[in-house]
Amino acid sequence: MGEEEGDWNATIEEWLLAEGHCVAGALASVTDGAMYAAAPVAAEEGWSLLFKESYKQMLAQEDGTEKEESIDESAILKTVAEGKRPAQGLWIAGEKYTLTRQEEDDIDGSPIKVAIAGRPKKGVVIYITAIGTVIIGMFDETKSATQTVGNCRKCVHAFCEYMMGIGF
């Protein structure tokens, strides 16, 4: 792990995890959806909660059959960051999430894309800054009663404000 990556990992822990409202967080590039930092840092837990290398998955088809398809989570995240709905759905660390909201927010006059997705008892809040930094916060209601979509969104929003303030 490079020094810069380590700095971002610590920053994610400070802004997204310290208050206990998110179980994990990450930063990614809008150009390819590739994550470049994740937390919690210990035992690379952030990476295991938020990312899985490309893999094959059986997916239901419109005709009721199942077909094996390749899942590229980075490409899927890029699609979400562009404000589109991925054809295969949103996959994070091998788990499928249902996109429930895709909207715009405003931070200091700059439009910010926001996506919210969930699955039973957990979910993610994704903010995309005006210059292309993707911020992902994950909550898990089984870990803490304070880990809710609302609390996670507040943390991701505050982190987005900070990132934009330093030019990201």
Side-chain angles (χ1 to χ4, degrees), residues 28-84:
S29 168
V30 74
T31 57
D32 60 6
M35 293 182 194
Y36 56 87
V41 176
E44 296 192 349
E45 185 180 2
W47 288 105
S48 65
L49 289 169
L50 290 164
F51 180 74
K52 186 174 180 181
E53 293 288 344
S54 294
Y55 53 96
K56 303 276 188 190
Q57 181 75 35
M58 294 300 288
L59 298 180
Q61 304 299 302
E62 288 185 23
D63 64 4
T65 62
E66 285 194 343
K67 178 181 168 189
E68 187 176 71
E69 294 190 33
S70 295
I71 303 291
D72 181 340
E73 293 185 2
S74 295
I76 289 171
L77 184 58
K78 178 184 185 288
T79 301
V80 171
E82 293 169 343
K84 302 174 192 168

Side-chain angles (χ1 to χ4, degrees), residues 80 84-86 89-90 97-102 115-118 126:
V80 171
K84 302 174 192 168
R85 292 181 95 67
L90 176 61
Y97 288 74
T98 302
L99 269 170
T100 56
R101 298 179 92 169
Q102 284 183 292
I116 299 173
I126 303 167

Side-chain angles (χ1 to χ4, degrees), residues 1 7 25 28 30 32 50 55 83 92 94-95 114 120 134-135 163-164:
M1 161 175 37
D7 291 345
V30 74
D32 60 6
L50 290 164
Y55 53 96
I92 296 175
E95 296 183 311
V114 178
V134 180
I135 302 167
M163 293 294 286
M164 289 176 60

Side-chain angles (χ1 to χ4, degrees), residues 4 34 65 73 76 106 166 168:
E4 184 177 309
T65 62
E73 293 185 2
I76 289 171
D106 181 277
I166 62 169
F168 288 89

